[in-house]
Amino acid sequence: MSVIESVLNETRTFPPNGTFVKQANVSGMAAYQAMCTEAEKDYKNFWAKQANHYLLWHSPFSQVLDESDPPFYKWFNDGEINISYNCLDRHLSTQPDKTAIIFESDEGEITKATYRELHQSVCQFANALKAQNIKKGDRVVIYMPMRIEAVVAMQACARIGAIHSVVFGGFSAKSLHERITDAGAVTIITADEQVRGGKHHPLKATVDEAMSMGGANSVKSIVVYQRSGSNIPFNPDRDVWWHEITQLANIDCEPEWVNAEHPLFTLYTSGSTGKPKGVQHSSAGYLLGTMVSMQWVFDYKSSDIFWCTADVGWITGHSYVAYGPLAMGATQVIFEGVPTYPNASRFWEIIQKHKVTTFYTAPTAIRSLIKLGPDLPEKHDLSSLRLLGSVGEPINPEAWMWFYEKVGQSRCPIVDTWWQTETGSHMIAPLPGAFTLKPGSCSLPLPGIQAAIVDETGQDVEQGNGGFLVIKNPFPSQIRTLWKDPERFKKVYFPEEIDQGKYYLAGDSAYRDDDGYFWIMGRIDDVLNVSGHRLGTMEIESALVANPLVAEAAVVGKPHEIKGESVIAFVVLKGQLPQAEEASKIILELREWVAQEIGPIAKPEEIRFGENLPKTRSGKIMRRLLRTLAKDEEITQDISTLENPAILEQLKKSIK
Ligand code: WTA
């Protein structure tokens, strides 16, 4: 509740400045309200209008929304489209020589690709994939460094109607294996290595390790992009080099026209259980969401230099790197490295060098940039910036103020964008030429999005009260289902208890203030938000329990200055409670183990041992007590239902 405590006292407001309002795509509150009114009157017609305005259709749709089998909504279903055509070909006649991507490598090497060049690379790679016998509907896992080629791989899949599933390069072999087998991938696209912050990380070797775990029989080939040129394992019966297969490929590739509802991609995300969920998105509705938000929230102008710092392994890197900016015809920066290498000014140097106008990043990055050098932004020329954005977790007002004053020089509005892997694009976010900003609030829903706060039965709560954040009407960019698990999809996102499953349940709690502004309080499920990344506590617990030393484990989050939240694990070992020296050894081993099982981002910050965990008489772990213990606070909650109160002392005192 630290967020709500800090934001409750937040009264600062920042009305949009006149210069920004004048040039804004949505200028002034009345313009926003007019769009909302139009959408409220007839939201199907509203979205149909947007779909005809923004998307290029191969054959038009006649039905806007098919709601015959809720919550399996279909948008623009009988229309035919291709997403790569919408992102690339459409610009060939209007702006072929405009720079689409300015790429800066970890070492600082700069490569640019125009729309014509990007189109050609995508067509060639799409043909190469076809030559590998990849067809419409096939699943392709992409495990790549953050480079132009990652975008080319995604766009090439879209071009031939293959369904990509990008796995973040920081995930372990085990996590990768789980995703490859669940998706039933026929191909994996990877690189020899990933280079970040001067360090080389093996990608191909990790893919090999995942393959050796068995069960990935669907995989027929592995395409390897040569990033570092290091020596890597290569199996000529199965592996092919990216540069070799593209060299042979033709540069013309007719797009595969697909149904609007054809899955563009699946992306795995954490939920309340140990098994990650394969969030499945559509083609047309998804792209539409990214485009309208580029226009409304990022106030996109063709002169912009857009920079979203997210990796393509996350939804933000899908919507605001690989798809939205390209569909709008933007010039964007893609950066391979980290903010701290070779020095703490790297981000500011990139903004200065490439004259970035729109800078979209995460609160965790902002907080670490503050720590690295609060005055560093002032030492650079950041006058090109005109708009800042934040995503991934609630931004604490102090970080917001620093971002606003030091980076945006009190000139640039900040769009604090609330959305999720499942929503595909922004849902609640300021329209910067219209809204008054409040530090820490993501403000108001976009036109066409009926966000609300309800209680456990689905009734609206009174303004000012906290509750579950829901979206009441279907919207084009929403999740279509969970890959191979429609039942779980229904249960998790459209639970019967909440107004008979009519509303999309986001999994966040929130409240609205007197102006109707939304303030996100946190997750309502067992999902942690570590450095803006979603991690399921159950996932980490299952990983810990899989270690031969561990009998039982419970994981909770603890507020963290930079990461937002950090992972704290309470562990019961199979043997005796360890003594100091042995305990430190086991802690090291278990942290490494979790990194191996899931990925370094899931490593517990702290591990505490006990002979047992605090449980109710019915055997349920009392997590709220663990959360209090993790924060080293006194337990004031009622512990009368606790089976074994003595355990609290032990977990408090135990070696950290
Ligand atoms: C949280 C990232 C507050 C929220 C796009 C959500 C936020 C989860 C914000 C989704 C924000 C994201 N303010 N909280 N502006 N943006 N969140 O799927 O808890 O990685 O449910 O998508 O991040 O995380 P995901």
Side-chain angles (χ1 to χ4, degrees):
M1 289 295 120
S2 59
V3 177
I4 189 142
E5 278 158 20
S6 63
V7 296
L8 266 180
N9 304 320
E10 185 53 56
T11 51
R12 287 171 284 201
T13 55
F14 297 83
N17 74 52
T19 334
F20 198 97
V21 175
K22 225 186 265 160
Q23 60 81 59
N25 294 343
V26 181
S27 182
M29 244 1 223
Y32 161 71
Q33 272 149 0
M35 288 162 78
C36 291
T37 310
E38 187 193 336
E40 271 157 37
K41 248 193 239 148
D42 183 350
Y43 74 96
K44 290 187 204 168
N45 191 43
F46 174 80
W47 285 117
K49 223 171 90 181
Q50 311 302 331
N52 282 319
H53 175 73
Y54 285 95
L55 301 173
L56 298 177
W57 292 92
H58 183 62
S59 77
F61 59 90
S62 61
Q63 189 186 17
V64 183
L65 173 63
D66 175 352
E67 41 194 342
S68 56
D69 183 22
F72 301 94
Y73 300 106
K74 294 185 179 130
W75 284 91
F76 323 119
N77 190 27
D78 57 349
E80 276 192 329
I81 197 163
N82 180 277
I83 297 311
S84 153
Y85 182 87
N86 267 270
C87 292
L88 301 170
D89 305 50
R90 73 180 325 161
H91 308 302
L92 293 183
S93 55
T94 52
Q95 46 171 24
D97 298 319
K98 181 173 178 179
T99 302
I101 298 175
I102 303 169
F103 170 70
E104 184 163 324
S105 76
D106 194 56
E107 298 90 343
E109 194 189 326
I110 293 160
T111 322
K112 293 185 181 176
T114 63
Y115 272 93
R116 195 204 310 276
E117 289 161 345
L118 189 62
H119 176 260
Q120 181 172 327
S121 307
V122 168
C123 287
Q124 259 190 318
F125 192 61
N127 280 328
L129 290 179
K130 277 203 221 167
Q132 296 290 311
N133 211 17
I134 295 159
K135 299 190 192 66
K136 178 179 163 188
D138 282 348
R139 274 81 58 208
V140 174
V141 161
I142 298 176
Y143 188 62
M144 289 278 281
M146 188 61 188
R147 295 178 64 88
I148 297 181
E149 289 75 16
V151 175
V152 169
M154 293 162 83
Q155 285 282 344
C157 287
R159 192 157 194 94
I160 64 173
I163 305 166
H164 63 67
S165 190
V166 184
V167 178
F168 174 59
F171 274 122
S172 69
K174 183 96 186 291
S175 299
L176 179 62
H177 174 260
E178 195 173 5
R179 286 156 175 78
I180 294 168
T181 47
D182 190 74
V186 298
T187 289
I188 302 165
I189 304 171
T190 189
D192 49 1
E193 291 184 320
Q194 162 163 265
V195 184
R196 292 181 84 225
K199 294 197 192 90
H200 288 227
H201 306 275
L203 290 182
K204 173 59 166 52
T206 309
V207 171
D208 285 352
E209 194 188 333
M211 290 299 296
S212 72
M213 292 173 178
N217 307 330
S218 53
V219 178
K220 300 288 178 279
S221 61
I222 296 173
V223 181
V224 189
Y225 169 74
Q226 199 167 35
R227 161 62 178 95
S228 66
S230 298
N231 236 338
I232 54 151
F234 199 87
N235 170 358
D237 294 335
R238 183 199 61 191
D239 305 343
V240 291
W241 286 109
W242 173 300
H243 57 268
E244 286 181 4
I245 60 169
T246 39
Q247 228 165 33
L248 306 171
N250 198 299
I251 57 165
D252 296 315
C253 179
E254 173 70 9
E256 178 83 32
W257 303 108
V258 298
N259 180 276
E261 281 293 316
H262 179 71
L264 179 63
F265 65 86
T266 64
L267 181 61
Y268 286 84
T269 188
S270 296
S272 307
T273 73
K275 191 174 174 284
K277 306 179 281 194
V279 171
Q280 181 179 320
H281 277 287
S282 71
S283 289
Y286 168 76
L287 192 70
L288 181 60
T290 68
M291 292 179 81
V292 296
S293 49
M294 284 294 297
Q295 176 78 6
W296 299 339
V297 181
F298 289 132
D299 190 50
Y300 170 70
K301 299 285 169 358
S302 61
S303 52
D304 278 339
I305 309 286
F306 184 83
W307 184 24
C308 164
T309 65
D311 191 281
V312 288
W314 311 109
I315 190 68
T316 309
H318 282 60
S319 304
Y320 301 108
V321 178
Y323 292 107
L326 295 178
M328 298 300 278
T331 297
Q332 70 172 319
V333 172
I334 293 184
F335 173 48
E336 185 178 34
V338 298
T340 45
Y341 180 84
N343 60 59
S345 284
R346 188 73 189 262
F347 270 17
W348 317 126
E349 282 164 10
I350 291 179
I351 293 173
Q352 174 177 298
K353 195 181 324 166
H354 303 299
K355 302 200 167 35
V356 170
T357 61
T358 314
F359 178 52
Y360 189 36
T361 194
T364 183
I366 298 167
R367 287 191 297 264
S368 58
L369 289 166
I370 297 175
K371 200 152 189 189
L372 285 168
D375 303 321
L376 287 177
E378 282 164 358
K379 304 204 163 69
H380 295 81
D381 177 7
L382 306 183
S383 58
S384 58
L385 287 172
R386 67 179 199 92
L387 182 67
L388 303 173
S390 164
V391 60
E393 58 180 302
I395 179 165
N396 46 310
E398 290 329 306
W400 195 101
M401 285 308 301
W402 180 85
F403 201 31
Y404 186 76
E405 288 172 350
K406 298 285 170 151
V407 182
Q409 297 155 343
S410 305
R411 176 186 73 241
C412 310
I414 298 178
V415 289
D416 176 356
T417 59
W418 178 85
W419 60 296
Q420 311 176 292
T421 305
E422 294 86 343
T423 68
S425 58
H426 301 157
M427 293 286 109
I428 308 178
L431 271 47
F435 293 15
T436 290
L437 305 172
K438 301 186 186 188
S441 165
C442 52
S443 75
L444 300 167
L446 300 196
I449 304 299
Q450 250 189 58
I453 307 206
V454 301
D455 64 17
E456 321 74 59
T457 63
Q459 295 303 304
D460 286 323
V461 300
E462 247 174 74
Q463 193 135 315
N465 286 354
F468 300 151
L469 177 53
V470 297
I471 299 169
K472 290 188 169 178
N473 54 349
F475 51 94
S477 70
Q478 81 191 88
I479 173 176
R480 292 306 193 261
T481 187
L482 287 174
W483 182 254
K484 292 199 305 203
D485 205 349
E487 277 312 307
R488 188 176 177 197
F489 164 71
K490 259 169 105 158
K491 225 168 83 192
V492 174
Y493 301 108
F494 295 88
E496 274 300 315
E497 308 82 85
I498 298 193
D499 207 39
Q500 289 142 25
K502 283 212 284 286
Y503 301 157
Y504 167 77
L505 179 70
D508 280 346
S509 58
Y511 81 99
R512 301 183 81 161
D513 67 15
D514 294 342
D515 299 319
Y517 274 45
F518 285 76
W519 299 79
I520 307 294
M521 292 152 68
R523 299 284 309 186
I524 55 171
D525 49 13
D526 291 324
V527 171
L528 305 181
N529 194 328
V530 180
S531 301
H533 302 315
R534 277 166 66 171
L535 292 170
T537 51
M538 276 282 286
E539 253 174 282
I540 308 173
E541 286 165 9
S542 337
L544 283 166
V545 178
N547 184 287
L549 295 173
V550 176
E552 211 177 357
V555 164
V556 296
K558 169 182 173 176
H560 185 279
E561 200 191 338
I562 306 277
K563 299 179 186 170
E565 244 181 333
S566 62
V567 176
I568 313 294
F570 293 88
V571 170
V572 181
L573 294 173
K574 280 180 186 155
Q576 297 239 312
L577 209 55
Q579 294 308 307
E581 206 175 304
E582 200 197 346
S584 331
K585 244 176 57 199
I586 301 178
I587 288 171
L588 274 180
E589 181 182 330
L590 292 181
R591 294 187 74 226
E592 224 18 71
W593 174 269
V594 174
Q596 288 291 326
E597 290 283 301
I598 303 174
I601 47 168
K603 266 192 198 176
E605 172 107 353
E606 203 181 300
I607 296 179
R608 296 190 194 183
F609 299 113
E611 281 163 331
N612 213 325
L613 295 171
K615 288 182 186 161
T616 61
R617 274 170 244 278
S618 60
K620 240 176 109 104
I621 296 172
M622 293 178 77
R623 284 167 193 283
R624 57 186 172 87
L625 294 181
L626 291 177
R627 277 192 278 269
T628 309
L629 287 174
K631 284 191 270 187
D632 291 319
E633 286 173 0
E634 278 309 313
I635 291 183
T636 53
Q637 296 107 318
D638 176 18
I639 53 166
S640 56
T641 52
L642 194 61
E643 160 94 56
N644 48 354
I647 198 66
L648 297 179
E649 265 326 289
Q650 201 178 61
L651 291 171
K652 213 189 310 183
K653 281 202 215 117
S654 90
I655 322 126
K656 292 182 205 168

